[in-house]
């Protein structure tokens, strides 16, 4: 049978062994997430239950649990008659997500200026240092994750848990979009913009901080390169399965 573009290619089947389901489904979750965030699994790539069962030597029950978790976190999309594919946000969805995020963070920033403690500001500065280190070491996945953590911590410093809950989902979806569609040789979330934003907050300049946050999110969106291309991949190599 011929292989379709976008389908994964599984390694030879292994004997299924019994393991703690929580440990194994977490391993599957982490492997897929890392591959997506490092841009080795592209948007639209199909992940079949059979392939994951063979690669991780586990039952379909465990694989389905991992797939459901990945779908819940918007890493995968579950489509009728196609199964699970790596999420493939459309340009319109991307614009809507970033528009929502700009609105939410515009509400968060003035509250952060008012309520952020010295300890929280110091933690924000520490995250920026870690961002610099991961960027220069080439750890793209960690760099994206830390960029998201920066915005979540900033939201937590605002003291409004409802806004933070909304932002968490938006940051999760934006992190995926950045990992999937970041244009080559472009920094989607420049660390110096984070540093300047912290300075504005620490100086109590809410108007400037809001303006900077809005421009920062616009810059992130502009750094994206959307594409509908699909590629055949070897899932075993991508997920580092020996």
């Amino acid at each position: 049978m011929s292989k379709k573009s976008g389908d994964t290619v599984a390694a030879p089947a292994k004997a299924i062994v019994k393991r703690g389901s929580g440990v194994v489904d977490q391993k599957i979750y982490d492997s897929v997430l890392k591959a997506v965030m490092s841009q080795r699994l592209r948007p639209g790539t199909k992940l079949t239950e059979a392939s994951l069962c063979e690669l991780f030597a586990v039952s379909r029950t465990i694989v389905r649990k991992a797939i459901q978790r990945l779908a819940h976190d918007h890493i995968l999309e579950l489509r009728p008659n196609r199964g699970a594919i790596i999420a493939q946000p459309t340009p319109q969805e991307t614009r809507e997500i970033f528009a929502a995020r700009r609105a939410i963070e515009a509400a968060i920033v003035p509250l952060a200026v008012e309520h952020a403690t010295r300890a929280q500001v110091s933690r924000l500065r520490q995250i920026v240092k870690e961002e610099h280190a991961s960027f220069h070491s080439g750890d793209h996945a960690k760099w994206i994750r830390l960029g998201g953590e920066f915005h979540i911590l900033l939201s937590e410093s605002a003291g409004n848990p409802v806004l933070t809950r909304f932002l968490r989902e938006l940051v999760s979806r934006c992190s995926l979009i950045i990992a999937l569609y970041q244009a080559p040789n472009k920094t989607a979330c420049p660390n110096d913009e984070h540093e300047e934003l912290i300075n504005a907050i620490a100086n109590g300049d809410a108007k400037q901080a809001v303006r900077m946050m809005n421009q920062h999110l616009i810059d992130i969106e502009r750094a994206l390169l959307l594409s509908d291309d699909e590629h055949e991949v070897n899932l075993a190599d991508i997920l580092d399965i020996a």
Side-chain angles (χ1 to χ4, degrees), residues 23-239:
V23 173
V24 181
D25 86 76
Q26 184 66 47
K27 182 178 180 181
I28 297 170
Y29 179 99
D30 290 342
S31 295
V32 173
L33 178 61
K34 181 179 179 180
V36 169
M37 290 302 183
S38 61
Q39 298 184 317
R40 290 183 292 163
L41 274 176
R42 303 299 301 163
T45 301
K46 184 177 180 180
L47 296 184
T48 67
E49 290 182 4
S51 295
L52 293 173
C53 287
E54 291 175 355
L55 291 171
F56 290 92
V58 295
S59 69
R60 284 183 181 266
T61 299
I62 293 175
V63 166
R64 286 170 184 165
K65 184 178 179 182
I67 287 176
Q68 288 294 331
R69 288 183 58 203
L70 288 160
H72 178 269
D73 291 342
H74 306 287
I75 307 303
L76 297 181
E77 295 176 1
L78 302 181
R79 296 187 175 180
N81 303 319
R82 193 175 179 190
I85 67 168
I86 301 302
Q88 196 171 21
T90 66
Q92 180 61 28
E93 288 172 329
T94 296
R95 286 191 291 269
E96 291 169 356
I97 289 168
F98 273 93
R101 184 166 170 185
R102 286 194 297 273
I104 292 292
E105 299 212 51
I108 287 171
V109 168
L111 295 174
V113 171
E114 182 179 355
H115 297 293
T117 65
R118 290 184 178 180
Q120 288 169 323
V121 171
S122 295
R123 179 55 185 145
L124 287 169
R125 295 191 190 281
Q126 179 59 38
I127 287 182
V128 171
K129 291 180 181 178
E130 294 173 17
E131 282 186 277
H132 276 298
S134 59
F135 178 78
H136 291 295
S137 69
D139 192 339
H140 187 77
K142 183 177 180 181
W143 174 65
I144 293 175
R145 176 178 60 78
L146 288 169
E149 287 184 7
F150 173 90
H151 288 265
I152 295 300
L153 179 57
L154 176 58
S155 177
E156 290 175 347
S157 74
N160 188 317
V162 176
L163 288 174
T164 298
R165 185 168 69 248
F166 291 152
L167 185 64
R168 282 185 185 278
E169 178 173 348
L170 291 171
V171 166
S172 174
R173 300 189 72 178
C174 284
S175 295
L176 173 65
I177 289 169
I178 291 168
L180 295 177
Y181 296 121
Q182 182 187 342
N185 303 318
K186 284 193 177 182
T187 302
C189 201
N191 301 132
D192 56 349
E193 291 185 6
H194 280 173
E195 292 175 344
E196 293 166 3
L197 182 58
I198 294 171
N199 291 336
I201 290 171
N203 292 333
D205 192 340
K207 185 176 180 180
Q208 174 71 351
V210 170
R211 186 195 66 78
M212 292 176 64
M213 176 64 83
N214 186 66
Q215 187 59 51
H216 175 58
L217 295 172
I218 288 173
D219 290 343
I220 294 174
E221 186 175 358
R222 285 176 176 170
L224 303 177
L225 182 63
L226 302 178
S227 172
D228 294 326
D229 293 341
E230 292 187 355
H231 305 278
E232 181 180 301
V233 298
N234 186 308
L235 189 58
D237 289 344
I238 286 173
L239 299 183

